[in-house]
Amino acid sequence: MSDVVVATEALSVGYGSYIVLSDVNAHVAAGEIVTLVGLNGAGKSTLLKTLIGTNPVLAGRIILGGKDATKWPAHRRVAAGVGFSPEGRRVFVNMSVEANLLVGAASLPQSRERRGLDWVLALFPELSGRLEQRAGTLSGGEQQMLAIGRALMSMPVLLLVEEPSQGLAPVVVDRVYDVLRLIADEGIAVLVAEQFQQVREDVSDRILVIDKGTVISDEELAAATEDPA
């Protein structure tokens, strides 16, 4: 197996007495795309937000790059190479495309900021001619590219993407997943949360199924597509 970039060990997450995730064991290795699927409320968003550091851990551990990152704040995880593209894109609509991208590199030296910008614009040339345009005037597909591009500005080792297909035309979804596959092939670990009907079998290396806060299946693509569960 390739080097594991992130892993959870018996991870439990909740708020007070309400448990959202229970005993979750999962991992994502360098160069692979793992698709996390489940019904609404199953715990997909909670897992991603816990990995980025915005949800409290009740028990278990998060291992990032071989180190125990369970208690790390979000900014330290970003500095360690975690990028996050949230559900609904959440771009800063009154800011320019370029300013939105630079938010993703706010903590980086200027030299790395320039490299990150060049890399993102190479991945999404659709944004190159729109750098001065307000993000709120972009199409939904362009905003999704912008949101992912912003998460990539720090040149992460792990990219978390929450429902990138939401509300997009199939041709745009294809474009987004082409880029996700490209960056995975460059060695970045990618964890994508999607609805069942949006699973991209042609791109995913493994399928992680979560139900009621518990992982019920973690299989390579071929096995997962033949599993009745």
Side-chain angles (χ1 to χ4, degrees):
M1 183 176 65
S2 302
D3 292 340
V4 172
V5 174
V6 67
T8 65
E9 299 177 351
L11 186 69
S12 293
V13 177
Y15 310 93
S17 61
Y18 181 63
I19 305 300
V20 183
L21 299 177
S22 178
D23 198 30
V24 171
N25 294 285
H27 71 276
V28 187
E32 72 171 349
I33 296 178
V34 175
T35 301
L36 174 66
V37 296
L39 300 174
N40 287 334
K44 302 187 301 296
S45 294
T46 298
L47 179 56
L48 264 61
K49 290 172 183 173
T50 303
L51 293 176
I52 195 62
T54 60
N55 283 342
V57 173
L58 298 180
R61 299 198 302 164
I62 297 170
I63 307 300
L64 179 60
K67 299 179 180 179
D68 188 342
T70 310
K71 296 183 179 180
W72 289 5
H75 66 85
R76 185 174 177 185
R77 299 185 197 198
V78 171
V82 182
F84 178 47
S85 177
E87 180 183 4
R89 300 178 274 279
R90 298 186 191 177
V91 300
F92 298 102
V93 295
N94 291 319
M95 292 168 55
S96 70
V97 169
E98 183 174 23
N100 268 269
L101 291 173
L102 293 178
V103 166
S107 62
L108 300 180
Q110 194 168 11
S111 59
R112 282 190 63 191
E113 178 184 284
R114 183 71 247 178
R115 290 203 306 272
L117 184 60
D118 290 344
W119 182 49
V120 167
L121 294 179
L123 291 170
F124 293 115
E126 297 91 337
L127 300 177
S128 296
R130 301 179 181 270
L131 291 178
E132 301 305 316
Q133 185 173 331
R134 283 196 308 113
T137 65
L138 298 177
S139 69
E142 290 165 339
Q143 288 189 18
Q144 183 65 76
M145 294 176 195
L146 178 57
I148 294 174
R150 182 178 58 196
L152 290 172
M153 280 292 293
S154 61
M155 305 180 77
V157 296
L158 169 66
L159 177 66
L160 310 173
V161 188
E162 192 173 8
E163 300 200 13
S165 302
Q166 187 180 70
L168 300 183
V171 66
V172 180
V173 175
D174 289 344
R175 177 76 181 93
V176 168
Y177 270 96
D178 284 346
V179 170
L180 295 181
R181 183 70 267 172
L182 181 63
I183 65 173
D185 289 343
E186 292 184 13
I188 295 172
V190 181
L191 178 60
V192 183
E194 280 283 23
Q195 299 289 334
F196 280 108
Q197 64 269 27
Q198 299 292 351
V199 173
R200 292 299 302 267
E201 297 179 6
D202 56 327
V203 176
S204 304
D205 296 301
R206 284 189 295 118
I207 306 293
L208 193 67
V209 183
I210 190 167
D211 182 49
K212 297 177 182 177
T214 301
V215 172
I216 61 171
S217 176
D218 180 0
E219 300 177 293
E220 293 186 357
L221 179 61
T225 55
E226 296 176 1
D227 187 339

